[in-house]
Amino acid sequence: MKIVLCCAGGFSTTMLMDSMKKTVKDSAKLNEADFEFKAIPVDLLNAEVENTDVLVVGPQIAHKIDYIKPIIDPYKIPYVIVDKETYGKMDGATVMKMALIARKKADMNK
């Protein structure tokens, strides 16, 4: 599963991505080999949209969802917008759970 984290610049999102990777690594249920993570600025989304399974949107670019949706909708990519509190805590476990639920819901609606 390819999870793309999208933000304004990339630094803090890389920290969140590392927290998500650690969640997968420490999990008894999830397998590291099943996941690929990428943190990108929103401006590069067009280049990364193919083969993305879930898009994680940082709170600092939530206002850009009208820019993001036309890019991801043709690919039927589910997305989650991380709230400021979860993002501030760099809570990779919660974000990972949100991403997996979004993917599962999208698969059920196929």
Side-chain angles (χ1 to χ4, degrees), residues 1-3 33-37 51 53-54 96 99-100 103-104 107:
M1 174 184 292
K2 182 177 176 185
I3 300 175
D34 294 337
F35 295 92
E36 175 188 349
F37 295 92
N51 304 318
D53 294 302
V54 181
M96 196 64 210
L100 291 171
R103 181 71 255 169
K104 189 169 213 155
D107 290 343

Side-chain angles (χ1 to χ4, degrees), residues 33-91:
D34 294 337
F35 295 92
E36 175 188 349
F37 295 92
K38 189 137 191 191
I40 61 165
V42 69
D43 303 338
L44 298 181
L45 182 57
N46 273 316
E48 286 297 329
V49 71
E50 278 193 61
N51 304 318
T52 294
D53 294 302
V54 181
L55 181 69
V56 175
V57 178
Q60 67 276 48
I61 61 160
H63 66 280
K64 289 198 169 196
I65 201 67
D66 291 338
Y67 166 81
I68 294 168
K69 283 183 67 67
I71 297 171
I72 64 173
D73 283 352
Y75 297 91
K76 297 188 175 21
I77 299 169
Y79 69 92
V80 295
I81 298 174
V82 182
D83 63 272
K84 287 179 183 165
E85 188 176 326
T86 302
Y87 195 87
K89 291 181 191 171
M90 291 290 144
D91 186 349

Side-chain angles (χ1 to χ4, degrees), residues 24-38:
V24 172
K25 185 177 183 174
D26 295 347
S27 170
K29 293 181 180 176
L30 303 175
N31 183 348
E32 280 184 275
D34 294 337
F35 295 92
E36 175 188 349
F37 295 92
K38 189 137 191 191

Side-chain angles (χ1 to χ4, degrees), residues 4-23:
V4 174
L5 293 88
C6 209
C7 68
F11 180 71
S12 60
T13 306
T14 299
M15 290 169 42
L16 180 61
M17 178 179 71
D18 290 343
S19 177
M20 292 172 73
K21 284 180 180 177
K22 184 179 181 339
T23 298

